[in-house]
Amino acid sequence: MAIVSAKEMLFKASKQKYAVGAFNITSLVQMEAIIEAAVEKNTPVIIQTSVTPTKFLKAEVVVAIFKALAQSVNIPVCLHLDHCTDVEFCKKCADLGYTNIMFDGSHLNFEENVKRTREVSDYCHQIGDISVEGELGTVSGVEDQIKVAEDDAQLCDPDKSLEFVERSGIDLFGPAIGTAHGIYQTENPVIDFERLGKIFQKLNQPLIQTPLVVHGGTGLSEPVVRNLIEKGGAKYNVSTNLKYILMDSTFEYISAHPKEYDPGKMDKHVKMATKQRIEYWIDLLGSTGMAM
Ligand code: 13P
């Protein structure tokens, strides 16, 4: 029950109008905190690694620790490779045991994006129950050192979304709708809810077929988050917020205990801070109690 692919988990979320938190990690303390918080909240959850931390930690190590943690709990948990632009690395992570793979071809032209995403989809579907996420349009901001300026970002064309999904063979779809990775430069970012709603209608009416992913989850107000879920967002990505919690809580601990030199105590403090924040997100996304 514990380790699943995201598709099924997100079908239920799409139908019942809540979102599953997809949390990016850069350290294993964060992975433990997320799983513990999800168990306490009895929620499904997705752990994500972008390419740089996956390579730094080593994909084999991430998968081994993920399996050890996830197999011992009774909630559905996924391991997702986030924003990978390299087809071969996608395949490698699928081989090693990631349950979801995102091929990010949003920087490519439409045909090339379809072609490379299709290669990843076919590979993942052939080797097992592995979901594939694709993106159309570009999300601005910085994710994993990849910077997309606001003027370069283009929103996803709803009329193209169905063609993209059908031809690329993906299971989950991340349309660009005005959200951005990193910290928003303005207090009221312009989010195109109507566009998200239209894409949801095209892909998921009358039957849920391709759950939608919201990228750029940090820094949006609670009403905005609820509206994104109402319009069809079923996987909600949070990265930057967790990086801030990790670094701020580390700094806080060291500043308060400058002479202690006991990293275990510092890890415990960071884990608690991360866990509290994950619990906040789980409640906001409405997935509390939805594990079964
Ligand atoms: P944030 O950096 O806004 O949290 O976005 C995360 C994300 O979308 C990862 O794919």
Side-chain angles (χ1 to χ4, degrees):
M1 154 67 168
I3 299 176
V4 295
S5 87
K7 194 172 179 176
E8 213 170 298
M9 182 194 271
L10 297 176
F11 265 41
K12 188 175 163 215
S14 278
K15 272 190 207 136
Q16 298 188 16
K17 293 281 180 211
Y18 62 88
V20 175
F23 302 110
N24 287 66
I25 61 155
T26 50
S27 94
L28 299 171
V29 169
Q30 290 172 304
M31 193 191 302
E32 286 186 15
I34 292 165
I35 293 184
E36 280 182 25
V39 167
E40 277 172 33
K41 289 285 177 185
N42 194 30
T43 177
V45 76
I46 298 172
I47 310 262
Q48 317 195 128
T49 56
S50 358
V51 175
T52 307
T54 308
K55 288 185 174 165
F56 177 75
L57 294 168
K58 294 196 176 45
E60 294 83 343
V61 175
V62 176
V63 170
I65 294 178
F66 168 77
K67 283 191 175 161
L69 292 172
Q71 273 161 358
S72 65
V73 297
N74 200 21
I75 52 163
V77 195
C78 300
L79 180 63
H80 171 94
L81 177 69
D82 206 28
H83 287 287
C84 184
T85 54
D86 174 352
V87 170
E88 293 312 312
F89 195 68
C90 286
K91 291 180 184 174
K92 178 184 163 165
C93 289
D95 285 337
L96 286 170
Y98 275 70
T99 61
N100 312 311
I101 301 287
M102 177 188 185
F103 176 73
D104 182 354
S106 59
H107 56 293
L108 303 168
N109 66 44
F110 185 80
E111 287 302 323
E112 201 54 33
N113 190 357
V114 166
K115 188 171 150 230
R116 292 197 209 174
T117 308
R118 178 91 221 182
E119 188 178 339
V120 174
S121 296
D122 286 347
Y123 187 84
C124 289
H125 295 154
Q126 195 193 323
I127 64 167
D129 184 19
I130 300 172
S131 323
V132 175
E133 179 180 327
E135 181 171 310
L136 192 60
T138 38
V139 177
S140 68
V142 184
E143 174 59 31
D144 198 17
Q145 328 287 340
I146 304 168
K147 190 172 189 314
V148 180
E150 227 164 279
D151 349 330
D152 296 342
Q154 348 132 339
L155 302 187
C156 170
D157 176 352
D159 291 329
K160 281 277 185 194
S161 59
L162 186 58
E163 184 189 344
F164 180 74
V165 167
E166 284 178 352
R167 289 181 56 203
S168 64
I170 52 172
D171 306 285
L172 319 172
F173 182 52
I177 48 155
T179 56
H181 295 127
I183 297 295
Y184 287 92
Q185 304 302 323
T186 157
E187 228 177 85
N188 294 307
V190 183
I191 313 291
D192 199 335
F193 297 105
E194 205 185 313
R195 187 178 296 265
L196 182 63
K198 267 192 199 155
I199 296 167
F200 182 80
Q201 293 288 329
K202 286 204 183 276
L203 301 184
N204 292 302
Q205 291 299 339
L207 272 182
I208 304 291
Q209 309 225 44
T210 316
L212 300 183
V213 182
V214 175
H215 281 262
T218 298
L220 299 171
S221 69
E222 294 184 358
V224 166
V225 175
R226 290 195 192 97
N227 204 355
L228 286 165
I229 297 170
E230 173 55 34
K231 295 290 183 298
K235 171 174 180 272
Y236 190 93
N237 290 3
V238 180
S239 173
T240 304
N241 183 226
L242 301 183
K243 289 181 192 161
Y244 274 61
I245 298 282
L246 174 72
M247 299 199 63
D248 287 348
S249 59
T250 303
F251 181 72
E252 205 177 85
Y253 193 85
I254 292 173
S255 306
H257 308 86
K259 302 219 159 69
E260 194 175 77
Y261 295 99
D262 185 340
K265 285 190 178 163
M266 186 181 71
D267 286 349
K268 211 165 163 184
H269 178 78
V270 171
K271 188 168 156 188
M272 278 312 295
T274 305
K275 208 169 146 188
Q276 271 173 14
R277 193 60 188 171
I278 297 293
E279 287 175 359
Y280 160 83
W281 280 110
I282 290 169
D283 285 338
L284 176 59
L285 300 176
S287 75
T288 303
M290 297 297 184
M292 299 306 154

